[in-house]
Amino acid sequence: MMSTAEQLPSFFQANLGRFFDRVILPVMDKLPSHAELETGEADSLDQFLDRAAAQVDNYTANESAKAFVLTLAGLFERQMSRWARAIQDAGGSDMGKLNGFEALLAGCAERAGIDLMLEPLGEALTEMFVVANVVRHGEGRSCERLRALAPHLWDEEAVDYHDLLPGTPVASEHVRIRQADLERYIRATTRFWGLADPLPLAVTNPPYGQCLSSDFGDRAAPA
C-alpha cells in the first residue's frame, strides 16, 4: 500500500495545475490590457479619460499577476511543509523542523534527489519566492535581492505601464509580472512535484500556457 508521502507529489502537482488553469488563466485573460499607453496633452476630456482608464487597466493587470505569484508561492510552500511532515511521520528524515520557503525547498529537493543547481526550476522557484516577498513587503532586502536575481522584471523604458501612486517612485512598485513569468513559475512548481513523484507515469515535463487540467486533471483528486 502506498504511503501518504508517496501519494502527495501527484496530488500537489494536480492541484497546482488546476489552480493555474481554472483561476489564474481565466482571470488574467479577462483583464483588459493595452500594448502601449498614450501620453502627452489630450485633445479632449474623453481622450484624457480613455488614457486614464487604459493606465488603470494595465496597473490592475500587473497587480493581479503579482497577487497570483504571492498565492502560488504560499501554496507551494504549504505543500512542501506537508510533504516534509509526511516523510517524517513515515519514519524518514527529520524534515519536520524545516522552516521557511528556502529551507523547505532545499530539504525537499535533497529528499527527492533534485539538484536545484542543475535544474533551471531552482532559479524560477527562488525568483517566485523573492517576488512574493516583494509583493508582501515592498522595499527592503527582498527587493534588493530581486533586482540582482531578476533584473528582467523591471523595464524603466516600458510604454505599457505607469505607476499610479503619487510621490517618489520606488522600485518595488515597478516590478512587472507578465503571463510568461506566471507560466515559468507554474512550470517550475509542477515540474518539481513531477520529479519528486515516485509513482508510475509521473508528469516530469509539464506544459505551461496550455490547459493544464487535461494533463494533470483527474489523475489525482483534490487533497
Side-chain angles (χ1 to χ4, degrees):
M1 182 176 179
M2 292 181 295
S3 68
T4 298
E6 290 175 319
Q7 297 179 65
L8 284 176
S10 61
F11 279 79
F12 291 155
Q13 187 185 60
N15 286 345
L16 284 165
R18 284 188 282 254
F19 179 67
F20 185 74
D21 181 41
R22 300 180 185 181
V23 179
I24 296 179
L25 279 183
V27 170
M28 296 306 299
D29 285 344
K30 289 180 181 178
L31 290 174
S33 61
H34 311 270
E36 183 172 349
L37 298 176
E38 296 184 35
T39 59
E41 185 175 348
D43 294 330
S44 66
L45 177 59
D46 285 342
Q47 185 182 58
F48 170 80
L49 293 174
D50 288 342
R51 289 179 179 181
Q55 291 181 16
V56 171
D57 286 343
N58 286 14
Y59 181 86
T60 302
N62 188 51
E63 287 299 312
S64 299
K66 290 193 292 187
F68 280 133
V69 177
L70 179 59
T71 304
L72 188 60
L75 173 57
F76 184 64
E77 183 174 358
R78 295 201 322 270
Q79 290 176 337
M80 290 192 294
S81 179
R82 186 169 180 182
W83 192 54
R85 291 197 304 271
I87 290 172
Q88 181 167 308
D89 290 345
S93 304
D94 184 13
M95 298 178 65
K97 296 180 181 179
L98 296 175
N99 291 313
F101 186 95
E102 292 185 276
L104 279 166
L105 179 60
C108 290
E110 181 179 4
R111 174 71 185 188
I114 301 171
D115 189 340
L116 294 175
M117 296 299 293
L118 295 178
E119 284 286 343
L121 60 83
E123 295 179 7
L125 292 171
T126 300
E127 180 184 310
M128 176 185 70
F129 165 71
V130 181
V131 169
N133 271 351
V134 173
V135 173
R136 184 185 295 112
H137 302 297
E139 296 300 286
R141 287 178 296 177
S142 290
C143 188
E144 294 171 1
R145 183 182 178 192
L146 187 62
R147 289 297 292 262
L149 286 173
H152 58 273
L153 296 181
W154 278 267
D155 183 1
E156 303 303 334
E157 305 300 322
V159 297
D160 63 340
Y161 183 79
H162 295 307
D163 183 5
L164 301 184
L165 302 180
T168 303
V170 295
S172 60
E173 293 298 329
H174 288 259
V175 175
R176 301 292 307 285
I177 301 298
R178 299 171 174 83
Q179 184 159 317
D181 299 309
L182 293 171
E183 290 169 356
R184 285 192 299 110
Y185 302 150
I186 190 62
R187 178 174 174 79
T189 54
T190 52
R191 178 163 168 75
F192 182 92
W193 289 122
L195 293 170
D197 190 351
L199 303 182
L201 303 178
V203 181
T204 58
N205 189 33
Y208 61 97
Q210 302 176 29
C211 181
L212 293 185
S213 63
S214 63
D215 291 85
F216 305 138
D218 299 320
R219 182 166 175 260

